């Protein structure tokens, strides 16, 4: 989400510096900025896309008519609304952590994939509540190593495993908990490559598969298969994959604990 926060800060600063003299001109230039931000990360399945869309919707809830058509005052209000939205986005993870605590019991073994700041905050919050648990982290170099170091620094027992070893350890774990780059309309998630195969192993062994994501990552996309997820670089190597909703037990979000089928309703509330 750090990238999305950076993008939102860019939009706020753009509004401050904009020479636009009409609402339509400002909206047009803002859309151009959003397009460039999304283009710079080379995929539409990220929190930058959804974050920018939600930001623009949030700041324009008030009509310019409310300000007696004083456009300079309207722009000032847009900036204020932008900062409110930014603060909500930055504190989203803090809202998620308490919702997950009851699912992590003493003695639990958690498997997580690569590195997710949202999952990290959830696990650290559980440790601060004196929950005793251990974690398997997939190597997913170098992300897994970074995740493991963050957990060890707080005294949480961690074992790094090769991505290919998930099938070997899955029967030992009590749950799988992963982050998400995006939560899509179907209730599925787009995340670091390898997430999908972990979800399949969890399903086969009847292990709960949880996704942790901020609502800023809810995107109006509906991938049907892996081919719908963009690849990156000249070699077109996949860096993300799509996990269908049928493999996800629950999603922990700042909007609440959701089943995959509830995501579409939340998207309607966010965007409409």
């Amino acid at each position: 989400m750090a990238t999305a926060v950076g993008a939102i800060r860019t939009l706020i600063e753009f509004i401050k510096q904009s020479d636009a003299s009409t609402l339509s001109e400002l909206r047009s230039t803002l859309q151009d900025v959003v397009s460039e931000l999304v283009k710079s990360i080379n995929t539409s399945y990220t929190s930058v896309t959804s974050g920018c869309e939600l930001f623009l919707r949030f700041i324009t809830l008030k009509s310019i008519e409310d300000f007696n058509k004083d456009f300079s005052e309207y722009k000032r209000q847009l900036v204020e609304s932008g900062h409110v939205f930014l603060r909500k986005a930055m504190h989203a993870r803090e809202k998620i952590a308490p919702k997950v605590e009851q699912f992590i019991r003493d003695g639990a073994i958690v498997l997580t994939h690569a590195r997710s700041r949202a999952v990290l905050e959830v696990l650290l919050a559980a440790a601060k509540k004196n929950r005793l648990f251990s974690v398997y982290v997939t190597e997913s170099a170098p992300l897994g190593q970074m995740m493991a170091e963050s957990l060890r620094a707080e005294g949480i027992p961690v074992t790094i495993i090769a991505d290919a070893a998930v099938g070997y350890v899955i029967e030992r774990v009590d749950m799988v908990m992963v982050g998400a780059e995006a939560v899509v309309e179907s209730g599925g998630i787009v995340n670091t490559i390898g997430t999908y195969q972990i979800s399949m192993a969890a399903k086969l062994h009847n292990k709960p598969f949880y996704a942790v994501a901020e609502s800023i990552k809810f995107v109006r996309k509906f991938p049907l298969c892996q081919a719908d997820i963009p690849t990156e670089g000249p070699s077109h190597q996949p860096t993300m994959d799509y996990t269908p909703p049928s493999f996800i037990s629950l999603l922990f979000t700042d909007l609440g604990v959701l089943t995959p089928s509830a995501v579409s309703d939340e998207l309607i509330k966010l965007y409409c």
Side-chain angles (χ1 to χ4, degrees):
M1 192 180 69
T3 310
V5 167
I8 292 166
R9 284 183 172 139
T10 299
L11 293 177
I12 292 173
E13 192 59 33
F14 179 83
I15 294 171
K16 286 181 183 178
Q17 304 296 329
S18 173
D19 294 326
S21 57
T22 66
L23 182 55
S24 60
E25 183 183 355
L26 180 61
R27 281 177 174 164
S28 177
T29 52
L30 278 171
Q31 289 291 353
D32 290 341
V33 174
V34 170
S35 296
E36 288 301 315
L37 288 169
V38 172
K39 192 185 302 181
S40 69
I41 54 172
N42 199 35
T43 176
S44 59
Y45 283 92
T46 70
S47 56
V48 170
T49 305
S50 55
C52 288
E53 281 191 49
L54 289 170
F55 170 81
L56 293 179
R57 181 188 178 278
F58 183 85
I59 66 171
T60 54
L61 286 175
K62 290 189 177 181
S63 167
I64 193 171
E65 303 297 333
D66 298 333
F67 299 92
N68 297 317
K69 298 187 178 179
D70 182 343
F71 191 66
S72 60
E73 176 62 19
Y74 184 67
K75 282 207 303 184
R76 188 190 66 77
Q77 182 61 40
L78 291 183
V79 171
E80 285 188 12
S81 296
H83 284 298
V84 170
F85 181 85
L86 184 60
R87 285 193 294 272
K88 286 184 176 181
M90 292 176 68
H91 292 291
R93 293 182 197 133
E94 296 172 14
K95 290 185 175 182
I96 298 174
K99 297 176 173 64
V100 190
E101 288 170 11
Q102 62 180 307
F103 292 85
I104 303 177
R105 303 183 184 280
D106 282 342
I109 301 175
V110 181
L111 170 63
T112 191
H113 181 45
R115 181 172 185 261
S116 161
R117 292 181 179 90
V119 172
L120 177 61
E121 186 144 340
V122 162
L123 295 177
L124 294 183
K128 286 176 183 175
K129 292 287 186 179
N130 297 317
R131 297 290 166 82
L132 302 175
F133 59 93
S134 59
V135 182
Y136 281 110
V137 181
T138 57
E139 186 176 22
S140 197
L143 300 176
Q145 185 65 45
M146 295 165 63
M147 182 73 165
E149 289 172 0
S150 298
L151 292 169
R152 285 189 185 123
E154 299 298 325
I156 299 173
V158 182
T159 302
I160 299 176
I161 63 169
D163 290 30
V166 166
Y168 183 83
V169 304
I170 192 68
E171 59 189 29
R172 304 179 190 177
V173 309
D174 296 294
M175 70 186 75
V176 178
M177 189 176 293
V178 302
E181 286 294 321
V183 179
V184 299
E185 289 187 47
S186 65
I189 62 171
V190 176
N191 196 42
T192 307
I193 191 75
T195 303
Y196 179 37
Q197 62 200 43
I198 294 173
S199 73
M200 289 191 286
K203 186 88 167 180
L204 182 64
H205 288 270
N206 295 312
K207 305 293 183 178
F209 183 95
Y210 302 131
V212 184
E214 306 90 329
S215 57
I216 197 174
K217 294 181 176 179
F218 283 36
V219 298
R220 292 187 293 180
K221 301 287 183 181
F222 206 111
L224 298 175
C225 60
Q226 302 303 326
D228 291 334
I229 307 303
T231 55
E232 292 185 8
S235 59
H236 298 291
Q237 289 295 317
T239 59
M240 296 186 292
D241 58 25
Y242 167 58
T243 301
S246 57
F247 291 91
I248 300 171
S249 306
L250 291 170
L251 296 103
F252 298 114
T253 79
D254 50 303
L255 301 177
V257 180
L258 307 176
T259 60
S261 60
V263 169
S264 59
D265 290 337
E266 294 300 327
L267 270 165
I268 291 171
K269 294 176 189 176
L270 285 170
Y271 285 96
C272 296

